[in-house]
Amino acid sequence: MPSHASLLERYRAVRARSEELAAPLSAEDQAIQSMPDASPTKWHLAHTSWFFETFVLEAGVAGYRLFHPAYRVLFNSYYQSVGEQYTRAQRGLLSRPSQADVAAYRAHVDRCMEALLEKEPDLDARVCDVTTLGLNHEQQHQELILTDVKHMLGQNPLLPAYRAGEPTPESAAAPLSWVGYAEGLRQIGHAGADFAFDNECPAHRVFLAAFELASRPVSNAEWLEFVEAGAYRDPAHWTSDGFAWAQSRAIDAPLYWLRRDDAWWVQTLAGPEPLRAEDPVCHVSWYEAEAYARFAGARLPTEAEWEVAAREVPVAGNLAESGHFHPRASQRGGALPAQLFGDVWEWTASPYTPYPGFRAAAGALGEYNGKFMANQMILRGGSCATPASHIRPTYRNFFHPDARWQFSGLRLAR
Amino acid sequence: MPSHASLLERYRAVRARSEELAAPLSAEDQAIQSMPDASPTKWHLAHTSWFFETFVLEAGVAGYRLFHPAYRVLFNSYYQSVGEQYTRAQRGLLSRPSQADVAAYRAHVDRCMEALLEKEPDLDARVCDVTTLGLNHEQQHQELILTDVKHMLGQNPLLPAYRAGEPTPESAAAPLSWVGYAEGLRQIGHAGADFAFDNECPAHRVFLAAFELASRPVSNAEWLEFVEAGAYRDPAHWTSDGFAWAQSRAIDAPLYWLRRDDAWWVQTLAGPEPLRAEDPVCHVSWYEAEAYARFAGARLPTEAEWEVAAREVPVAGNLAESGHFHPRASQRGGALPAQLFGDVWEWTASPYTPYPGFRAAAGALGEYNGKFMANQMILRGGSCATPASHIRPTYRNFFHPDARWQFSGLRLAR
Amino acid sequence: MPSHASLLERYRAVRARSEELAAPLSAEDQAIQSMPDASPTKWHLAHTSWFFETFVLEAGVAGYRLFHPAYRVLFNSYYQSVGEQYTRAQRGLLSRPSQADVAAYRAHVDRCMEALLEKEPDLDARVCDVTTLGLNHEQQHQELILTDVKHMLGQNPLLPAYRAGEPTPESAAAPLSWVGYAEGLRQIGHAGADFAFDNECPAHRVFLAAFELASRPVSNAEWLEFVEAGAYRDPAHWTSDGFAWAQSRAIDAPLYWLRRDDAWWVQTLAGPEPLRAEDPVCHVSWYEAEAYARFAGARLPTEAEWEVAAREVPVAGNLAESGHFHPRASQRGGALPAQLFGDVWEWTASPYTPYPGFRAAAGALGEYNGKFMANQMILRGGSCATPASHIRPTYRNFFHPDARWQFSGLRLAR
Amino acid sequence: MPSHASLLERYRAVRARSEELAAPLSAEDQAIQSMPDASPTKWHLAHTSWFFETFVLEAGVAGYRLFHPAYRVLFNSYYQSVGEQYTRAQRGLLSRPSQADVAAYRAHVDRCMEALLEKEPDLDARVCDVTTLGLNHEQQHQELILTDVKHMLGQNPLLPAYRAGEPTPESAAAPLSWVGYAEGLRQIGHAGADFAFDNECPAHRVFLAAFELASRPVSNAEWLEFVEAGAYRDPAHWTSDGFAWAQSRAIDAPLYWLRRDDAWWVQTLAGPEPLRAEDPVCHVSWYEAEAYARFAGARLPTEAEWEVAAREVPVAGNLAESGHFHPRASQRGGALPAQLFGDVWEWTASPYTPYPGFRAAAGALGEYNGKFMANQMILRGGSCATPASHIRPTYRNFFHPDARWQFSGLRLAR
C-alpha cells in the first residue's frame, strides 16, 4: 500500500488484511485464549473495530448509535477513561459474541467508517489523525493475531499448522562481523509529519560512547552452543531475576523448540519443522537474551545505539509489494548491520522509559503508550510477522522481560 | 427407553441423546472450558466415545485400530492404569480436534460398537457389562454437559440461553411438613442383578435412630430468609471451612442468582428469569446447605436416612416416556416425602466413604469410583438434568463441599 | 494426678506441666512459627491462659479486669463469638508480647484462677465445668507444643534437639496377628459424668459387620516395604486427592525421615537418630495411611470398630505415675489388640461427622468442636505426646487428611 | 570516623555500630522475619560476618578454619559462586543459631580480622580492598537492620517502639521553589581512588536537556493532597502496573500511616506519632512516587539529573560528628536544592541499568551488584537511616518499584 494512498484506501487495505489473517482459522480457533497475555483472534477482530467505533465514530459522528451496548465493556482493552473493561484473562470464556456476530460488528463499523472517510479531503484533522492511529493500532493487532495463534496452536499436543507460506525470518548465513560507530552526540526519536506513536517523540540528542554492533542477529546455531554448554542452569550468566525465572519454569530452550529423539525441531506457523541452524533465534525472553549476551562476552545494544545504526540503513525504498518488509539485500551491501528490519524483534538493553520532554496524547488515547512505562524492555526493528508499512527506525516496541511468545530475538553489541 | 430394550437399542438411544444435547451449541460453545472443574461439550462427546473405544473395542475386539493415537491421552479423564492424561485444566485450549473431528470419532466408534452389539445375544458377558457401564457413564456426562454449559453461558456477561424447554425442578408449593421414621436396623445399598455402580455395593445393614425428614426440598423463598437475615456473613451458622470459603469468595447467594435493581433473577438454561419463590433452591454448595440447615434449626439427613425414606417411594412405575423422571404425583399421595427424584440433587450429611465390604472393580475400571473416596460429600436423588433411567434410590453422587455448579439443593432432617 | 484430686490441684498440675514443657526452649525458640498450622510455644502458653481469662474469669468473676486489652484479639484462636482474631498465619511475627510478658500473663491468670478455685466446693457448676474444659484444652495444647516444636526444629538445617528423654512410641516387636470381632449392635460414644468433649456425645448404637483388627500398629519396617516398592509413585494404591498431594509436594517418606548415605534416619525430639525398624511408623498423613492399607491388602478401621475394640482394653488401671500413659503390658496379655493408647494416634477410615443427636455446647464454647466437622478425618487412641489423663476410648481427635506433623500412625483392619 | 582512620579503626567502628543498633532488641526481636524481603536482625549480624569470613579470611588467610561449616550456607545471601544458600524466605524459621551463637560468631571473626588488620600497612591490596568493601557492605546492612526492624515492629498490633532518639528526616519547612540547570554534556559516575561500588563506574558523559529540580523533597502535607483528592483510586495518575499494584493490595496511603479517628498518625522507630505535615514524605513505592509526580504536573528526575545537581552541593565538609549526615544548613545557602543527602532516599525516573563500559568485579564479588540490573529503579541521596560516611553523590541505590519499607521519598523535576 503506497503511502500516498487515500485514507479510505488504506483503511480498506488494513481492515482486509486482518480478515485475511483470520481466514485459515475455524470459529473454535478464533475463540480460544491460551494464556492471559494472549487474546482470541475473534477478540482482536472486535477490539480493533471497537477502537474505530469508540474513538472515531462515537466521538466524532453526530447521531452514531453503538452496534451493541455490551461491546463497550467487552472489547475495551485497557482504556480506563472509557469505562470498565471485561477481565482480560477471561477473554477466552466468551463463545458469544460468536464469530459471525463479530463479523457483523466489523461490517457495521466498516460501513460507517467508509461513509465517513469518503468525505476526504473534507475530513477534520482529528478524524484523520485518530483513523491513522486506528490503522496503526490494527496493524499491531495483526502481529498479535499471529503471535497469539502460534501460541495457541503451539500448546496443542497435535501441533497443528496455521498455514504454510507465512513469512519467516531470513537465514543469517554470513559469519558475524562487527560494525563500528564513533562516539558523539546523536539524535534519536521521531520528528516530522509522518505518523509515529507518541512514545517515539520528541526527537532529542543523546551522547553515545563508541560502540560496535553485530552485523546480524544471533542465530540458532549460536544459541545451541548456549544450550549445550548448560548455560540455562549456570547462574553465572544470568541476572538474578532471570535465573529465578528460568529455574522456576524449567526453561531450557527457546519457546517452540522441541527435542525429538536426538534432533531439535521447532514449532512454526506451518507446523513442526527441523530447526534451521542459520535462522535468527526467535522466541526468547529478555532474560534469556541478556544471559546469552553475557555468555558470548558481549552485551545487548541500547535502543539509542540500535537506532543510530538503523538510521543509516535505507528503509523507505525497500517496502515489498507483498505487504511485508524485505529490505535485506540492500542492507548487506556495505558495512552496515543487516536484517535490522523484518526478521525478529531485537531485545535491547533499554528499559521502556519516556523520552525527555515526552507528553502523552490528551484524553483516553493518552493511555495508549504512556502508562506502560514500567517494568518493560524495549525491542526494536520489527519481525517477519510485522506489517511492512508498520516498520520504521524510531519504532519502540516493549514487553515484560519474561515475554517470549513474540517473534523476539537479539543482536549483540560491545 | 424400556429396560427390556436390547443393548443395541439402548446404545443407540443414549448416544443419540448426547448429540441432541449438543445440538443447540455452536462449535465455539462446545470448545470452551469455563473453569477447571468443567469440561468443553466437545470433550464430553469425545471422552464418552473414548470410554467405549478403550474398554470395549480395544480391550475386546481383535484387530481393532485406534481412531487416532493421540486421543488415547487427550480424552483419558483420570484412568492412570490406561496411561497419561492431558491436563484437565487445559481442555479448553484445544481448538483441535475440531467439532467435526469429534463427530467423526463418534461415528467411527458407533459403527464399531454397533457391529459388535448386533451379535447379541452371543456377546460375552464382559462386553455386555462394560457396555452397560459405558452407557451409564455417558448418562453421567449428559448431565455434566448441561451443568458445564450452564456454567459457561452463566459466566458470559451477555447471559445467553442454551435453549428453552429443558426440564426444571418442579415448584414445591406445599407447606413443609415432617415425615417420621422409627429407629431400627435397616438395609441400604444395592443388591440384585440390575445395573449399579460398584460404590452402591454391597447392600448392608445400618442402625438408625428415629428421625424425621422434610416432606419436600428447601425452596427459594426459604433460602431468601437466609440471605436476608445476613446469614452469609454470620459465622454462627457455618462450619469453619465453610465460612472461610464464603468470605474469601464473597459468596452471598446461590450460584446464578442475580440481583437487578431490587428484584432477584436467576440465570437458567433458557436465560435470565425472575426467581420463583416456590421452586426448590438449586446450585448451592454443601457448605451453604449445611449452614442453612443449622440456621433453620435442623440438619442434613445422612445418606442412610435418605435411602430408607426413598425405598418407600414407588420409583419404577413412574418413568416418564419423555426420557426424564417425573414421579412426583404419586409421591405426594401419602405421608411420603415428595420430590426425592428428579428435581435437585440433595446434599446429605454423609462424606463419601466405602460401604462395609466394598470392593472396587478389577483393573482400570476400578478407578471409576473408589479413588474419589476422600474429601467429598454424598448427594442423593437426581436432578431435572439427570436422565430418568439413570435415577435410583441407591445411587450415590458425590462432589467436593464447595461445588455449586451442579443442580444441587437440599432437604432438611431432624 | 489422681482423678479424685481437687480442681485446684489439677489446675496447678496442668499449668505447671505446660511450663515444664517450655523449659528447654529459648525465647527465640518460643517465638517462631514454622508453618500456618503450627503456633509458637509462647502463643500456646498465652492462648491457654486467655481461655481461662475469657471463659472463667471475665465471664464469671465480678469486677475482673483484663490483663491487657489487646490480648483479647491476639490470643483468641478461632472464637468468632468472642470477637476478632489475630491472623493465625502471622502468629510468628509477634516478638512482643515477649516471653516475659507471657509469663506475667500466666502468673496473673493463675493468681486469679487459684483464688477462685480455693472456694471449692462452693464453686458454681459452670466455673467447675469450664475450668475442667480449660484444663483439657490446655492438655491438647501441651501435645501441640511438642508437635509444633518438633516441626520448627525439624525445619532447621542444624536439626537441633528439644531434649532427651521424652516418651517415644514403644517398639512393636511382636509379629502382627489379627483379632476378630463378631457382627452386632454396639454402643459407642461417651456416657456418664466424667469429662468428655461434646463431640464424643451422645452415646449411641451402631451396627457393625464382623471385622478383624491388627494386633498392633504398622511398624517402620513394614512402611519401608511401601517405600521400597515405589508405592509413593504408583497411583494404584492411592485416592485421587492423595496421589495429587504426594506428587505435588514430592512426598516419598514419612515426615522427619532422612536418608543419609544408604541409611534411614529420623528426626526426633532428641535430635536425629537411626530409624528403628520395630517402632510404630509415625508422622504419616491420612492419605499415606489409606494408601498403605490398600497396598497391604487391608483397610483402615472405622472409628466405631476402633472404639469397640478399645472398650475391651482395661484403661483406667494403667495410668502411669509418670504422667504418661503406658498400659501396654496388660493389653498384650490376651487376644487384644495392643498399643491402642499412648503410642501413636491412629488414623481411621471415618470422616469427622456429628454423632446422631449431637448438640454443640451453648455460646462461644459451642465453637470448640462442632464447626470443624468438615473435611477432617478421625484419629483415635492418643500418642506418646498426649498427657496420660487426657486419653480415653471415646476420644475423637481430628485433622485434615494431609496433616502429618502430628504423632500420627495407623493400624490395619479387614 | 574520619576518612584517614586506619582500616583497623574503621573496622572496629563499623562493627561496633552494628551491635549498637541491635542493642535495643531482644533475642525474640532479632529472630523474626516479617516478610521475605526483610531479614532478622540476627541474620544481618551473622551475614555481615560471613562476608568477612568468606571473602577475606577464608580466601586470604592460610589455615583459617570456618567457625561452623553450616554457616557457609545459612548466611550466604545470594552468592551462587560460593555455593548453596539457605532459602531467603525462611530466615525467620531459625531459632538456632541463637543470638548468643551469632555473637560468638561475630567475636570469632572480629578476632581473626583484627589480627589480620594489625599488619597494616603490610596488608596486601586485595585484603584492603575487600575489607573496605565488607565495611561498606556492613553499612548497607545497618540501614537494613533499621528498615527491617521498623517493618517487623510495624506489623505488630501493639506498635512497639525500637528506641527514641534515632535520626529522622528534617522538616522541609521552606516553600518549594525550582532550581534550573542548563542543557549540555555532563559527567556522572565515580572516578578516582576513593571507594565506590562497581555499579557507580565508570564515569561517563551524558547529554542532558535543560531541566529544573525542586528545591526540597515532597512533604507529607503535599502528599495528603494526593490522598484527599482520591488519587489512589484514580487510574489517570498511574502507570498500569502501579495502579494494579495499588488496587490489588488496597494501598491508600504511605506505609506506616495510620488513621485514628480523624487524624493521621505515623508509626516511627520511636512508636506512633502524629503525622508532621512538613516532614518529607517517606515509605512510598516508586509506583506511588511516579503517580504523585504526574498528579503534581511534574515528573521524577533521572539519576543523571539528580547527580548533576548533587555534585554542586558541598558534601565532604558536612559529615556530622554524630556519625550521621546533616549537610542541610549549607545546602540552603544558595540556589541549590536542599536535603539531597541524609533525609529520604529519592526515587528517580531511571531503571537500574549498567553504565556504559560497566564491568562487574571478578569472581564471586561480581555478583554484588551487576546481577540485579533488571526490574529495579534507582534511588539517590541516602536517608536518615544511612550511615553518614556511606553517602556520596554517585551512590546508586536500587529497589523494585513496589518496595516501600525503605526510607524512600521523592523530589520533583520538570
Side-chain angles (χ1 to χ4, degrees), chain C residues 27-29 32-34 42 70 86 92-99 152 156-158 160, chain D residues 27-29 32-34 42 70 86 92-99 152 156-158 160:
Chain C
E28 295 167 78
D29 291 330
I32 285 171
Q33 179 176 35
S34 58
K42 183 170 73 173
Y86 182 70
L93 300 187
L94 301 175
S95 63
R96 329 279 178 92
S98 67
Q99 182 191 26
M152 190 262 291
N156 192 316
L158 303 175
Chain D
E28 296 167 77
D29 291 331
I32 285 171
Q33 179 176 36
S34 58
K42 185 171 71 175
Y86 182 70
L93 300 188
L94 302 175
S95 63
R96 328 279 178 92
S98 67
Q99 182 192 26
M152 191 262 291
N156 192 315
L158 303 174

Short mmCIF file of all heavy atoms in Angstrom, two decimals, chain C residues 27-29 32-34 42 70 86 92-99 152 156-158 160, chain D residues 27-29 32-34 42 70 86 92-99 152 156-158 160:
data_model
loop_
_atom_site.label_atom_id
_atom_site.label_comp_id
_atom_site.label_asym_id
_atom_site.label_seq_id
_atom_site.Cartn_x
_atom_site.Cartn_y
_atom_site.Cartn_z
N ALA C 27 13.82 -18.08 74.40
CA ALA C 27 12.81 -17.12 73.96
C ALA C 27 12.67 -17.15 72.44
O ALA C 27 11.57 -17.03 71.89
CB ALA C 27 13.19 -15.71 74.43
N GLU C 28 13.78 -17.30 71.74
CA GLU C 28 13.72 -17.39 70.27
C GLU C 28 12.93 -18.61 69.83
O GLU C 28 12.08 -18.54 68.94
CB GLU C 28 15.14 -17.47 69.69
CG GLU C 28 15.95 -16.22 69.94
CD GLU C 28 17.43 -16.45 69.65
OE1 GLU C 28 17.80 -16.46 68.46
OE2 GLU C 28 18.22 -16.63 70.62
N ASP C 29 13.24 -19.76 70.44
CA ASP C 29 12.53 -21.00 70.09
C ASP C 29 11.02 -20.82 70.27
O ASP C 29 10.22 -21.36 69.51
CB ASP C 29 12.95 -22.15 71.01
CG ASP C 29 14.38 -22.62 70.78
OD1 ASP C 29 14.87 -22.50 69.64
OD2 ASP C 29 14.99 -23.10 71.76
N ILE C 32 8.87 -18.56 67.32
CA ILE C 32 8.84 -18.84 65.88
C ILE C 32 7.71 -19.77 65.49
O ILE C 32 7.37 -20.69 66.21
CB ILE C 32 10.23 -19.39 65.45
CG1 ILE C 32 11.20 -18.21 65.41
CG2 ILE C 32 10.16 -20.09 64.09
CD1 ILE C 32 12.62 -18.59 65.22
N GLN C 33 7.12 -19.48 64.33
CA GLN C 33 6.03 -20.28 63.77
C GLN C 33 6.55 -20.88 62.46
O GLN C 33 6.86 -20.16 61.51
CB GLN C 33 4.83 -19.37 63.48
CG GLN C 33 3.64 -20.07 62.86
CD GLN C 33 2.45 -19.13 62.69
OE1 GLN C 33 2.61 -17.95 62.41
NE2 GLN C 33 1.25 -19.66 62.86
N SER C 34 6.58 -22.20 62.41
CA SER C 34 7.23 -22.83 61.25
C SER C 34 6.29 -23.07 60.08
O SER C 34 6.75 -23.37 58.98
CB SER C 34 7.87 -24.15 61.67
OG SER C 34 6.88 -25.00 62.23
N LYS C 42 5.16 -19.78 72.75
CA LYS C 42 4.72 -18.61 73.53
C LYS C 42 3.23 -18.35 73.31
O LYS C 42 2.51 -17.98 74.24
CB LYS C 42 5.55 -17.41 73.05
CG LYS C 42 5.33 -16.14 73.75
CD LYS C 42 6.40 -15.12 73.31
CE LYS C 42 6.17 -14.60 71.91
NZ LYS C 42 7.12 -13.49 71.58
N ALA C 70 -5.36 -5.76 74.44
CA ALA C 70 -5.04 -6.27 73.10
C ALA C 70 -4.99 -7.80 73.07
O ALA C 70 -5.10 -8.41 72.01
CB ALA C 70 -3.70 -5.71 72.63
N TYR C 86 -6.54 -12.33 65.78
CA TYR C 86 -5.31 -12.01 65.07
C TYR C 86 -5.04 -13.13 64.08
O TYR C 86 -5.24 -14.31 64.37
CB TYR C 86 -4.16 -11.90 66.08
CG TYR C 86 -2.85 -11.54 65.45
CD1 TYR C 86 -2.64 -10.27 64.92
CD2 TYR C 86 -1.82 -12.46 65.37
CE1 TYR C 86 -1.43 -9.93 64.34
CE2 TYR C 86 -0.60 -12.13 64.79
CZ TYR C 86 -0.41 -10.87 64.27
OH TYR C 86 0.78 -10.54 63.69
N GLY C 92 3.72 -15.91 64.17
CA GLY C 92 5.17 -15.89 64.30
C GLY C 92 5.79 -14.53 64.06
O GLY C 92 7.01 -14.39 64.11
N LEU C 93 4.99 -13.52 63.81
CA LEU C 93 5.54 -12.17 63.61
C LEU C 93 5.62 -11.39 64.91
O LEU C 93 6.11 -10.27 64.92
CB LEU C 93 4.67 -11.39 62.61
CG LEU C 93 4.56 -11.99 61.21
CD1 LEU C 93 3.83 -11.02 60.28
CD2 LEU C 93 5.94 -12.32 60.66
N LEU C 94 5.15 -11.98 65.99
CA LEU C 94 4.99 -11.23 67.24
C LEU C 94 6.16 -11.45 68.18
O LEU C 94 6.16 -12.37 69.00
CB LEU C 94 3.69 -11.67 67.92
CG LEU C 94 2.40 -11.47 67.11
CD1 LEU C 94 1.21 -12.05 67.86
CD2 LEU C 94 2.19 -9.99 66.82
N SER C 95 7.18 -10.58 68.08
CA SER C 95 8.24 -10.67 69.09
C SER C 95 7.72 -10.14 70.43
O SER C 95 8.20 -10.52 71.48
CB SER C 95 9.47 -9.89 68.65
OG SER C 95 9.17 -8.51 68.50
N ARG C 96 6.75 -9.27 70.35
CA ARG C 96 6.06 -8.79 71.54
C ARG C 96 4.59 -9.19 71.44
O ARG C 96 4.05 -9.09 70.34
CB ARG C 96 6.13 -7.25 71.66
CG ARG C 96 7.35 -6.63 71.09
CD ARG C 96 8.51 -6.70 72.04
NE ARG C 96 9.71 -6.12 71.41
CZ ARG C 96 10.07 -4.83 71.52
NH1 ARG C 96 9.32 -4.00 72.20
NH2 ARG C 96 11.17 -4.39 70.94
N PRO C 97 3.90 -9.57 72.49
CA PRO C 97 4.38 -9.69 73.86
C PRO C 97 5.55 -10.67 73.94
O PRO C 97 5.53 -11.71 73.29
CB PRO C 97 3.18 -10.24 74.63
CG PRO C 97 2.00 -10.04 73.74
CD PRO C 97 2.49 -9.97 72.36
N SER C 98 6.54 -10.31 74.74
CA SER C 98 7.73 -11.12 74.89
C SER C 98 7.45 -12.36 75.73
O SER C 98 6.39 -12.48 76.35
CB SER C 98 8.82 -10.30 75.59
OG SER C 98 8.41 -10.05 76.92
N GLN C 99 8.41 -13.25 75.75
CA GLN C 99 8.30 -14.42 76.61
C GLN C 99 8.02 -13.99 78.05
O GLN C 99 7.19 -14.58 78.74
CB GLN C 99 9.61 -15.21 76.53
CG GLN C 99 9.60 -16.49 77.35
CD GLN C 99 10.99 -17.09 77.46
OE1 GLN C 99 11.99 -16.37 77.37
NE2 GLN C 99 11.05 -18.39 77.67
N MET C 152 9.19 -27.17 64.12
CA MET C 152 10.05 -25.99 63.99
C MET C 152 11.52 -26.39 63.99
O MET C 152 12.29 -25.97 63.13
CB MET C 152 9.74 -25.01 65.14
CG MET C 152 10.37 -23.65 65.01
SD MET C 152 11.90 -23.51 65.98
CE MET C 152 11.24 -23.57 67.65
N ASN C 156 14.86 -26.80 60.73
CA ASN C 156 16.15 -26.13 60.89
C ASN C 156 17.26 -27.05 60.38
O ASN C 156 17.37 -28.20 60.82
CB ASN C 156 16.35 -25.81 62.38
CG ASN C 156 17.51 -24.88 62.62
OD1 ASN C 156 18.58 -25.06 62.04
ND2 ASN C 156 17.32 -23.88 63.48
N PRO C 157 18.08 -26.56 59.44
CA PRO C 157 19.13 -27.43 58.89
C PRO C 157 20.08 -27.96 59.95
O PRO C 157 20.75 -28.97 59.72
CB PRO C 157 19.87 -26.52 57.92
CG PRO C 157 18.97 -25.37 57.65
CD PRO C 157 18.05 -25.24 58.83
N LEU C 158 20.16 -27.32 61.09
CA LEU C 158 21.04 -27.80 62.16
C LEU C 158 20.43 -28.98 62.91
O LEU C 158 21.09 -29.61 63.73
CB LEU C 158 21.35 -26.67 63.14
CG LEU C 158 21.99 -25.42 62.53
CD1 LEU C 158 22.14 -24.32 63.61
CD2 LEU C 158 23.35 -25.74 61.93
N PRO C 160 18.34 -29.34 65.50
CA PRO C 160 18.59 -29.29 66.95
C PRO C 160 17.65 -30.24 67.71
O PRO C 160 16.58 -30.61 67.22
CB PRO C 160 18.27 -27.84 67.33
CG PRO C 160 17.99 -27.11 66.07
CD PRO C 160 17.65 -28.12 65.04
N ALA D 27 16.26 -11.03 72.04
CA ALA D 27 16.55 -12.18 71.18
C ALA D 27 15.36 -12.49 70.29
O ALA D 27 15.51 -12.86 69.12
CB ALA D 27 16.91 -13.39 72.05
N GLU D 28 14.16 -12.36 70.84
CA GLU D 28 12.96 -12.59 70.02
C GLU D 28 12.87 -11.60 68.88
O GLU D 28 12.59 -11.97 67.73
CB GLU D 28 11.71 -12.48 70.90
CG GLU D 28 11.62 -13.53 71.98
CD GLU D 28 10.54 -13.20 73.00
OE1 GLU D 28 9.35 -13.41 72.71
OE2 GLU D 28 10.90 -12.72 74.10
N ASP D 29 13.07 -10.32 69.19
CA ASP D 29 13.03 -9.29 68.15
C ASP D 29 14.02 -9.60 67.03
O ASP D 29 13.74 -9.32 65.86
CB ASP D 29 13.43 -7.92 68.73
CG ASP D 29 12.40 -7.35 69.69
OD1 ASP D 29 11.21 -7.65 69.54
OD2 ASP D 29 12.82 -6.59 70.60
N ILE D 32 12.96 -12.69 64.23
CA ILE D 32 11.75 -12.73 63.41
C ILE D 32 11.93 -12.06 62.06
O ILE D 32 12.60 -11.04 61.95
CB ILE D 32 10.57 -12.12 64.22
CG1 ILE D 32 10.16 -13.16 65.27
CG2 ILE D 32 9.41 -11.75 63.33
CD1 ILE D 32 9.19 -12.67 66.27
N GLN D 33 11.32 -12.65 61.05
CA GLN D 33 11.34 -12.13 59.68
C GLN D 33 9.91 -11.75 59.31
O GLN D 33 9.04 -12.62 59.26
CB GLN D 33 11.86 -13.22 58.73
CG GLN D 33 11.90 -12.81 57.28
CD GLN D 33 12.51 -13.90 56.38
OE1 GLN D 33 12.30 -15.08 56.63
NE2 GLN D 33 13.25 -13.50 55.37
N SER D 34 9.68 -10.49 59.04
CA SER D 34 8.29 -10.05 58.85
C SER D 34 7.79 -10.19 57.43
O SER D 34 6.59 -10.08 57.18
CB SER D 34 8.14 -8.60 59.32
OG SER D 34 9.02 -7.78 58.60
N LYS D 42 19.34 -10.78 63.62
CA LYS D 42 20.37 -11.79 63.90
C LYS D 42 21.03 -12.27 62.61
O LYS D 42 22.24 -12.50 62.57
CB LYS D 42 19.67 -12.96 64.62
CG LYS D 42 20.54 -14.05 65.09
CD LYS D 42 19.73 -15.02 65.97
CE LYS D 42 18.74 -15.85 65.17
NZ LYS D 42 18.07 -16.87 66.05
N ALA D 70 28.12 -25.23 58.76
CA ALA D 70 26.77 -24.98 58.23
C ALA D 70 26.53 -23.50 57.94
O ALA D 70 25.63 -23.15 57.17
CB ALA D 70 25.72 -25.48 59.24
N TYR D 86 20.75 -20.89 51.96
CA TYR D 86 19.53 -21.20 52.69
C TYR D 86 18.41 -20.29 52.16
O TYR D 86 18.64 -19.11 51.88
CB TYR D 86 19.75 -20.95 54.19
CG TYR D 86 18.56 -21.28 55.04
CD1 TYR D 86 18.18 -22.61 55.22
CD2 TYR D 86 17.82 -20.28 55.64
CE1 TYR D 86 17.07 -22.92 56.00
CE2 TYR D 86 16.72 -20.58 56.42
CZ TYR D 86 16.35 -21.90 56.60
OH TYR D 86 15.25 -22.20 57.37
N GLY D 92 13.47 -16.55 58.90
CA GLY D 92 12.78 -16.36 60.18
C GLY D 92 12.41 -17.65 60.87
O GLY D 92 11.80 -17.64 61.94
N LEU D 93 12.75 -18.79 60.28
CA LEU D 93 12.44 -20.07 60.94
C LEU D 93 13.58 -20.54 61.84
O LEU D 93 13.46 -21.56 62.50
CB LEU D 93 12.16 -21.15 59.88
CG LEU D 93 10.99 -20.88 58.95
CD1 LEU D 93 10.71 -22.11 58.10
CD2 LEU D 93 9.74 -20.51 59.74
N LEU D 94 14.66 -19.78 61.87
CA LEU D 94 15.88 -20.26 62.53
C LEU D 94 16.00 -19.71 63.94
O LEU D 94 16.56 -18.64 64.15
CB LEU D 94 17.10 -19.87 61.70
CG LEU D 94 17.15 -20.37 60.25
CD1 LEU D 94 18.36 -19.79 59.54
CD2 LEU D 94 17.18 -21.89 60.23
N SER D 95 15.48 -20.44 64.91
CA SER D 95 15.74 -20.02 66.29
C SER D 95 17.19 -20.31 66.66
O SER D 95 17.76 -19.64 67.51
CB SER D 95 14.79 -20.73 67.25
OG SER D 95 15.00 -22.12 67.24
N ARG D 96 17.75 -21.29 66.01
CA ARG D 96 19.19 -21.57 66.15
C ARG D 96 19.82 -21.39 64.78
O ARG D 96 19.19 -21.79 63.79
CB ARG D 96 19.42 -23.04 66.59
CG ARG D 96 18.36 -23.62 67.47
CD ARG D 96 18.51 -23.20 68.90
NE ARG D 96 17.40 -23.77 69.70
CZ ARG D 96 17.46 -24.96 70.33
NH1 ARG D 96 18.53 -25.71 70.23
NH2 ARG D 96 16.43 -25.39 71.04
N PRO D 97 21.03 -20.87 64.64
CA PRO D 97 21.90 -20.41 65.72
C PRO D 97 21.22 -19.30 66.52
O PRO D 97 20.58 -18.42 65.95
CB PRO D 97 23.13 -19.87 64.98
CG PRO D 97 23.05 -20.38 63.59
CD PRO D 97 21.64 -20.70 63.33
N SER D 98 21.42 -19.36 67.82
CA SER D 98 20.80 -18.40 68.72
C SER D 98 21.51 -17.04 68.64
O SER D 98 22.58 -16.92 68.05
CB SER D 98 20.89 -18.91 70.15
OG SER D 98 22.25 -18.91 70.55
N GLN D 99 20.88 -16.07 69.27
CA GLN D 99 21.52 -14.75 69.35
C GLN D 99 22.93 -14.88 69.94
O GLN D 99 23.88 -14.25 69.47
CB GLN D 99 20.66 -13.84 70.23
CG GLN D 99 21.18 -12.42 70.36
CD GLN D 99 20.46 -11.67 71.46
OE1 GLN D 99 19.94 -12.28 72.40
NE2 GLN D 99 20.41 -10.35 71.33
N MET D 152 9.10 -4.99 61.01
CA MET D 152 8.67 -6.07 61.91
C MET D 152 7.83 -5.50 63.05
O MET D 152 6.74 -6.00 63.34
CB MET D 152 9.91 -6.80 62.45
CG MET D 152 9.62 -8.09 63.19
SD MET D 152 9.62 -7.83 64.99
CE MET D 152 11.37 -7.50 65.28
N ASN D 156 3.25 -5.41 64.08
CA ASN D 156 2.78 -5.86 65.38
C ASN D 156 1.64 -4.95 65.85
O ASN D 156 1.80 -3.73 65.93
CB ASN D 156 3.96 -5.81 66.37
CG ASN D 156 3.63 -6.53 67.67
OD1 ASN D 156 2.55 -6.35 68.22
ND2 ASN D 156 4.56 -7.33 68.15
N PRO D 157 0.48 -5.52 66.16
CA PRO D 157 -0.65 -4.67 66.57
C PRO D 157 -0.35 -3.82 67.80
O PRO D 157 -1.03 -2.82 68.03
CB PRO D 157 -1.75 -5.69 66.89
CG PRO D 157 -1.35 -6.96 66.24
CD PRO D 157 0.15 -6.94 66.11
N LEU D 158 0.65 -4.19 68.57
CA LEU D 158 1.00 -3.39 69.75
C LEU D 158 1.82 -2.15 69.37
O LEU D 158 2.05 -1.28 70.21
CB LEU D 158 1.78 -4.23 70.76
CG LEU D 158 1.08 -5.51 71.25
CD1 LEU D 158 2.02 -6.33 72.14
CD2 LEU D 158 -0.20 -5.17 72.01
N PRO D 160 5.07 -1.51 68.86
CA PRO D 160 6.14 -1.21 69.82
C PRO D 160 7.16 -0.23 69.22
O PRO D 160 7.29 -0.11 68.01
CB PRO D 160 6.80 -2.57 70.06
CG PRO D 160 5.98 -3.59 69.34
CD PRO D 160 5.18 -2.86 68.32
#
